């Protein structure tokens, strides 16, 4: 028996191509995921006359710029020529290089972090590099998955590898049963509140504990998705029976004898008893309440039962200055009960909360109710949309007054034309409440899908538990 | 890639922590071609008012910092999105070195790939440097990558750590892909063994179109 190892150690070790004396490792990349903004990488390949090493290990997704309306008109339906150009470019680049594209017009199209797992492209034990910081999502299936910039995308295209220095490890253990009305989104917001927006810089997080074990794969994806909002390189969860059940039968999943070999391997990818982490963090599930952000960093988060914090009670002047600025941007006064804050719009979707389970949560809450403010629901993929419609959720949403859109990143990143107007306040299930993230001057409050649904029907931030509904 | 050895230049102090890549380079400019340069988009929404005029409250708009090529920031600079445009926009404005107590990981990696040096100095040192830069009419800083040393406006020197490989690439302006391709034999050998162990990952692919799960 060797030294006890973490899942991360096991995955890392299996992917080491070579190590330099100075400690840098050339790491094999199983799968590369790209999106429209990766065009610089293909330009660079052409400019430097390089060959794409393994086109079969690259998957491209049209998600950041695709419209969420008028999809029957295809690319021609995109009015803004610059946006249209981005969608045309990913089509042309993937065609030229022989890469699989989940593009506009393909029913499987959707947000890369939703489609990858949905198609079985994401599997335990893989090293996945993605041209998007929320690539950490894929760790929910027991993969080591991380976001990279365009230079690294180009490097993977040309070499199927990346130079990396081994990151530190952090275990975030959440124990117990999440209370009524509390979801995976609230759990990860509570983690970020505890460790801060830079709390996990340089670390890979392993989420563990009975709360995580009891979560659906969709819930684990929500948790891993926001690892980057705590600064982590990646977040992951040990694959288990729930993971195998989720993957089985998906288009890219192994079958027959391959399946048996695959799960035999996947079962070895757990953290050994006694394996050491560089840092351990513990949370008690029963202490987590539905969470809402009040400021402009995901760490600016409090339970919905709370009030907007008071900067002059902050421990240091720097923190005070940051809070002052955030409150000025958000147009909020210290001491205001969160549930008294009215919202102008509601956005439900994104790679954090655009999966079928999220939409079911919303449907349970809004059934028989009416929206008080404009509210849109953007499914994470065409297949999520299809599934929701098969379950009749679209009719519940329509009856309640929601707009039911087509799949894409939409108002989470606000570059396809879906965006807030200056000063507009939005209850959002997305992952970043940065200044201007959802449109210049837009004000974002992050929360779970059921909390966003509750805000939609009341017109103000609302404790979902007051409406008698859980998550 | 342009090599970096030593630079003495005007340094811009930015006090706010957690400056994210959306602030450095707002997402709506991601679709702009690089050919015309990205300098005009740097810190766009905090640097310019909605009518396009400069916001005098933003530090980069102070005359003494306009020629800045070094930036002294607070912790977690460049957190958030992986967009490399955030580095392009700093680089196109003229920045070659960034100093902060910590950086977003992806952002720091992106810096190195573009010949921009991310220098990590302790919180107290970064705060002192920013303080001096605000007090000085001649807000100059030196970043010496060879010696791994920063000199503040008052001449005080601070050592910094940087990993050997990024240092080597930055000093020599090395194209990382070219470098890695020298390891092609290692990659090919690895791949052969890997494919034998994990055959299921390399089978033929499903057809595109209306596949349902």
């Amino acid at each position: 028996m060797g030294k006890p190892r973490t899942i991360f150690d096991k995955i890392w070790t299996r992917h080491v191509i070579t190590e330099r004396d100075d400690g840098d490792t050339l790491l094999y990349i199983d799968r590369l995921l790209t999106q429209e903004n990766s065009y610089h990488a293909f330009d660079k390949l052409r400019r430097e006359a390089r060959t794409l090493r393994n086109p079969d290990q690259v998957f491209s997704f049209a998600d950041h710029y695709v419209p969420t309306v008028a999809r029957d008109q295809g690319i021609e339906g995109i009015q803004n020529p610059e946006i249209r150009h981005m969608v045309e470019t990913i089509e042309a680049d993937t065609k030229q290089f022989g890469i699989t594209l989940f593009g506009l017009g393909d029913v499987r199209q959707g947000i890369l972090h939703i489609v990858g797992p949905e198609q079985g492209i994401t599997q335990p034990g893989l090293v996945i590099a993605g041209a998007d910081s929320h690539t950490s999502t894929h760790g929910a299936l027991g993969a080591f998955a991380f976001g990279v910039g365009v230079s690294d995308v180009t490097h993977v295209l040309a070499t199927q590898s990346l130079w990396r220095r081994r990151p530190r490890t952090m275990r975030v253990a959440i124990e117990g049963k999440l209370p009524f009305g509390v979801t995976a989104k609230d759990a990860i917001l509570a983690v970020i509140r505890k460790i801060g927006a830079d709390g996990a810089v340089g670390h890979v997080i392993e989420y563990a504990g009975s709360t995580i074990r009891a979560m659906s794969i969709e819930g684990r994806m929500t948790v891993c998705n926001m690892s980057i909002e705590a600064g982590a390189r990646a977040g992951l969860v040990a694959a288990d029976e729930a993971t195998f059940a989720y993957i089985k039968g998906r288009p890219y999943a192994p079958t027959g004898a391959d399946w048996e070999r695959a799960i035999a391997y996947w079962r070895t990818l757990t953290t050994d008893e006694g394996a050491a982490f560089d840092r351990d963090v513990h949370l008690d599930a029963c202490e987590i309440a539905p969470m809402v952000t009040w400021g402009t960093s995901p760490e600016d988060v409090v339970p919905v039962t709370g009030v907007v914090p008071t900067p002059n009670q902050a421990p240091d002047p720097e923190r005070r200055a940051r809070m002052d600025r955030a409150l000025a941007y958000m147009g909020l006064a210290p001491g205001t009960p969160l549930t008294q804050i009215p919202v102008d719009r509601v956005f439900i979707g994104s790679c954090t909360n655009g999966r079928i389970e999220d939409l079911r949560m919303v449907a349970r809450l809004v059934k028989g109710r009416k929206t008080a403010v404009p509210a849109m629901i953007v499914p994470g993929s065409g297949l999520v949309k299809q599934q929701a419609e098969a379950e009749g959720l679209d009719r519940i949403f329509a009856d309640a007054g929601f707009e039911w859109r087509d799949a894409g990143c939409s108002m989470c990143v606000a570059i396809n034309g879906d965006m807030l107007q200056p000063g507009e306040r939005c209850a959002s299930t997305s992952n970043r409440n940065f200044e201007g993230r959802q449109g210049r001057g837009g004000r974002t409050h992050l929360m779970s899908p059921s909390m966003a649904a509750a805000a939609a029907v009341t017109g103000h931030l609302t404790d979902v538990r007051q409406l008698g509904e859980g998550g | 890639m342009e090599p970096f050895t030593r630079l003495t230049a005007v340094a811009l102090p930015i006090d706010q922590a957690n400056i994210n890549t959306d602030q450095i380079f707002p997402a709506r400019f991601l679709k702009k071609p690089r050919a015309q340069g990205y300098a005009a988009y740097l810190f766009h929404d905090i640097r310019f008012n909605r009518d396009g005029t400069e916001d005098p409250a933003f530090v980069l708009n102070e005359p003494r910092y306009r020629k800045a090529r070094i930036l002294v920031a607070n912790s977690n600079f460049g957190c958030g999105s992986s967009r490399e445009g955030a580095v392009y926009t700093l680089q196109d404005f003229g920045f070659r070195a960034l100093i902060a107590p910590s950086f977003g990981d992806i952002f720091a990696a992106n810096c190195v790939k573009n010949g921009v040096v991310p220098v990590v100095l302790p919180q107290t040192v970064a705060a002192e440097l920013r303080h001096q830069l605000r007090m000085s009419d001649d807000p100059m800083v030196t970043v010496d990558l060879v010696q791994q040393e920063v000199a503040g406006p008052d001449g005080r020197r601070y050592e910094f750590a940087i990993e050997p490989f990024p240092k080597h690439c930055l000093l020599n302006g090395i194209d990382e892909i070219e470098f890695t391709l020298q390891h092609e034999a290692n990659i090919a050998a690895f791949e052969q063994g890997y494919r034998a162990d994990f055959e299921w990952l390399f089978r033929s692919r499903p057809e595109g179109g209306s596949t349902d799960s």
Side-chain angles (χ1 to χ4, degrees), chain A residues 1 55 114 136 147 176 211 272 275-276 335 375 385 427 437 453 461:
Chain A
M1 286 292 286
I114 304 234
S136 57
T211 314
D272 300 332
K385 180 167 191 177
R437 171 76 180 186
L461 300 182

Side-chain angles (χ1 to χ4, degrees), chain A residues 14-15 20 28 30 50 53-54 59 82 106 150-152 155 163 165 202 233 258 261 440, chain B residues 18 20 22 30 32 48 74 80 84 105 113 163 178-180 184 191 194 197 199 203 205 209:
Chain A
R14 189 63 192 84
H15 288 81
R20 297 156 47 92
Y28 191 69
D30 291 293
R50 297 197 191 280
R53 201 167 191 285
N54 298 325
F59 300 86
E82 284 185 330
D106 184 334
V150 150
S151 292
D152 275 342
H155 193 276
W163 290 102
R165 185 157 281 246
R233 297 228 169 137
D258 280 346
R261 287 181 62 195
R440 191 170 184 183
Chain B
N18 294 327
N20 60 65
D22 276 82
L30 283 164
K32 298 287 183 190
F48 300 107
N74 206 328
E84 202 158 310
D105 278 328
K113 313 289 151 122
E163 285 156 10
E178 210 52 56
F179 176 85
T180 306
E184 172 56 32
E191 208 159 44
Y194 191 85
D197 282 357
E199 284 173 303
R203 304 263 188 236
R205 298 321 174 106

Side-chain angles (χ1 to χ4, degrees), chain A residues 230-290:
Chain A
R233 297 228 169 137
L236 54 81
V237 175
D240 58 13
E241 296 306 318
T243 318
F244 310 150
Y246 176 92
I247 296 171
K248 192 165 188 175
R250 296 194 179 263
Y252 286 83
T255 53
D258 280 346
W259 173 258
E260 297 306 322
R261 287 181 62 195
I263 54 170
Y265 172 61
W266 296 344
R267 283 186 208 285
T268 67
L269 299 174
T270 54
T271 288
D272 300 332
E273 188 72 31
F277 290 82
D278 295 300
R279 194 173 159 203
D280 268 292
V281 173
H282 295 271
L283 272 86
D284 195 340
C286 73
E287 288 173 6
I288 303 174

Side-chain angles (χ1 to χ4, degrees), chain A residues 129-180:
Chain A
D132 186 276
S133 59
H134 292 107
T135 303
S136 57
T137 312
H138 304 258
L141 290 126
F144 173 40
F146 51 89
V148 295
V150 150
S151 292
D152 275 342
V153 168
T154 318
H155 193 276
V156 178
L157 289 171
T159 71
Q160 207 57 45
S161 66
L162 285 173
W163 290 102
R164 279 293 183 273
R165 185 157 281 246
R166 193 191 189 91
R168 293 187 291 278
T169 53
M170 174 188 292
R171 176 166 46 198
V172 173
I174 314 179
E175 298 289 351
K177 190 174 179 299
L178 288 172
F180 173 74

Side-chain angles (χ1 to χ4, degrees), chain A residues 79-140:
Chain A
Q79 300 301 317
N80 180 316
E82 284 185 330
I83 293 177
R84 190 168 61 238
H85 179 69
M86 293 297 283
V87 180
E88 285 166 349
T89 301
I90 194 171
E91 302 238 344
D93 284 342
T94 51
K95 194 168 170 205
Q96 181 191 343
F97 288 99
I99 296 168
T100 300
L101 169 69
F102 296 87
L104 201 64
D106 184 334
V107 68
R108 305 169 303 167
Q109 175 272 338
I111 308 172
L112 73 168
H113 312 309
I114 304 234
V115 177
E118 190 171 74
Q119 289 296 314
I121 293 166
T122 308
Q123 295 174 21
L126 297 186
V127 174
I128 299 173
D132 186 276
S133 59
H134 292 107
T135 303
S136 57
T137 312
H138 304 258

